[in-house]
Amino acid sequence: MAEGHNTVREGVYAGLIGATAIVVWFAVIDIVSGMPFHTPNILGAGLISVLGKPPMMPDTVMFHVLIYTIFHYLVFALVGIVIVTIVHQSARTPAVLAGFLVAFVAFELGAIGLTTLFTESRLGGMAWYQIFLANLLAAGLMFWFIGRRHPQLRGDLDRALTGTDDHVAVRNDGR
């Protein structure tokens, strides 16, 4: 763990920032289209259909929104913790960031592919680019937050991508 940094706390904060960015993004899209809560309702209904619905569970719009919102924030908190863990590890081994960058691009491309499959489902009204932009906005804000907490991250990323991963010697020389 990086000195003076709490991985879980930072990760949860980063996840809350990313999750909230997506919530606000889709709230604006839903309100402009005249269908408030449309996106979280559909995503919540889909989540319930995948996980199974207990008989006592209500089948209302607000319940779908509540279930999806809880799931959404929990997943983003976990993603934030993973990202911050990788950033803390990169302080010791900057090459980790190169692998993370490749995984991030692959994830985004996979998300685009998955959303194109949704065009045949109830999510068909949502264009793939809306989901892509939401993910990009969330990632950008999460990385901005993490970058502010870890000013050395830019240098570590530069060393990871240029292959000059001998950061201990560089930092000890004062450069």
Side-chain angles (χ1 to χ4, degrees):
M1 175 168 38
E3 249 180 71
H5 292 274
N6 182 303
T7 302
V8 173
R9 182 178 51 239
E10 279 184 53
V12 168
Y13 287 159
L16 291 175
I17 289 168
T20 301
I22 289 178
V23 165
V24 170
W25 174 262
F26 283 122
V28 168
I29 289 173
D30 289 351
I31 289 168
V32 167
S33 69
M35 299 183 299
F37 299 110
H38 177 71
T39 301
N41 175 41
I42 290 173
L43 294 172
L47 182 62
I48 291 169
S49 74
V50 168
L51 299 178
K53 181 182 163 301
M56 303 285 269
M57 187 181 292
D59 197 20
T60 64
V61 169
M62 282 300 114
F63 189 73
H64 294 167
V65 170
L66 177 68
I67 289 296
Y68 180 72
T69 301
I70 292 169
F71 175 80
H72 178 77
Y73 275 93
L74 285 175
V75 167
F76 265 86
L78 289 173
V79 167
I81 292 168
V82 168
I83 292 171
V84 169
T85 300
I86 291 168
V87 167
H88 287 175
Q89 177 61 37
S90 76
R92 293 182 290 277
T93 313
V96 167
L97 292 174
F100 175 72
L101 186 59
V102 170
F104 173 74
V105 170
F107 174 79
E108 286 298 319
L109 291 174
I112 291 171
L114 186 61
T115 56
T116 57
L117 293 175
F118 287 151
T119 57
E120 299 301 318
S121 71
R122 292 177 64 191
L123 288 174
M126 294 176 60
W128 67 268
Y129 61 86
Q130 291 174 342
I131 296 171
F132 175 71
L133 290 174
N135 284 336
L136 214 51
L137 176 65
L141 288 172
M142 290 171 75
F143 290 133
W144 170 81
F145 169 77
I146 293 168
R148 300 257 317 168
R149 301 272 304 149
H150 299 272
Q152 84 289 352
L153 187 58
R154 178 175 270 182
D156 290 345
L157 184 59
D158 183 49
R159 279 188 293 285
L161 296 177
T162 60
T164 55
D165 197 0
D166 191 11
H167 72 290
V168 175
V170 171
R171 287 190 180 161
N172 288 337
D173 289 344
R175 287 184 262 157

